[in-house]
Amino acid sequence: FGATLHRALEDFHRQGGPSQLSTEDLVENLHQRWVSLGYASLEEEQSFRESAEQLLQNYCSTQPPEGVTTLFTEKQLRCDMGEFVLMGRVDRVDQHPDGHLEAIDYKSGRETVREEEVRDDLAMSVYAYLLRNCHTDQPVDATIHALRTNTCATARFGEDDFNRIEEAI
């Protein structure tokens, strides 16, 4: 379920997102990518398919702020840490008109999310760190997008955060 949603959203944003595609295009992409395996019955599968359609329709109802550009989807980021290579695959990276970057992670099972949870989330911290390492001159935000309720929470990461993250790693 979650992987199918991620693939549909990846294609949606790679093809231009809401400025180029409609809600119907996104839902059609979902249908083309739907995987029937893993559901206990046809009824359960149909229920999840209907839920996925509703989640994506809600997702499309919220337009991104003016001037935001999607740079990457499902992007693998890497950083040589000396003894090992730190890697992470971020769902989406947007650039805002003021130049700051935003790492976005979709969560298909979550209903709520708070800024503190984003800041304390290991994966989000790693994404922000990796993004900052690749783009040292730009401020970095990290956002969790709870698809079930179409709500987001964002945390801005600064130098103190990156030092703390590097120490923890």
Side-chain angles (χ1 to χ4, degrees), residues 31-167:
H31 291 170
Q32 292 173 0
R33 299 190 155 283
W34 189 260
V35 177
S36 294
L37 299 174
Y39 299 99
S41 66
L42 288 173
E43 292 79 18
E44 182 183 61
E45 178 187 356
Q46 184 59 33
S47 174
F48 272 90
R49 184 187 300 253
E50 290 169 5
S51 176
E53 290 172 1
Q54 187 62 53
L55 292 178
L56 294 181
Q57 288 167 356
N58 291 343
Y59 179 87
C60 283
S61 71
T62 306
Q63 295 296 317
E66 187 71 30
V68 172
T69 304
T70 296
L71 299 179
F72 312 111
T73 57
E74 296 299 326
K75 175 75 171 171
Q76 183 175 355
L77 303 171
R78 303 168 49 100
C79 177
D80 185 346
M81 303 294 289
E83 296 178 35
F84 61 91
V85 175
L86 180 66
M87 295 187 304
R89 181 176 302 275
V90 64
D91 293 338
R92 191 173 100 221
V93 175
D94 285 352
Q95 184 171 34
H96 291 257
D98 66 358
H100 84 269
L101 301 176
E102 180 181 17
I104 300 166
D105 193 38
Y106 306 122
K107 297 295 185 188
S108 61
R110 286 183 82 154
E111 293 189 6
T112 63
V113 61
R114 296 185 336 264
E115 178 185 341
E116 303 81 37
E117 293 172 313
V118 176
R119 185 170 302 289
D120 294 340
D121 187 273
L122 177 61
M124 298 310 295
S125 296
V126 168
Y127 296 154
Y129 180 85
L130 290 169
L131 195 55
R132 175 64 164 77
N133 188 282
C134 296
H135 302 274
T136 58
D137 59 334
Q138 295 162 299
V140 175
D141 291 349
T143 298
I144 292 178
H145 190 136
L147 294 172
R148 291 214 176 267
T149 55
N150 200 30
T151 57
C152 300
T154 301
R156 169 74 46 103
F157 285 80
E159 288 307 311
D160 289 343
D161 297 308
F162 294 127
N163 291 336
R164 176 186 51 80
I165 293 165
E166 187 170 20
E167 282 181 31

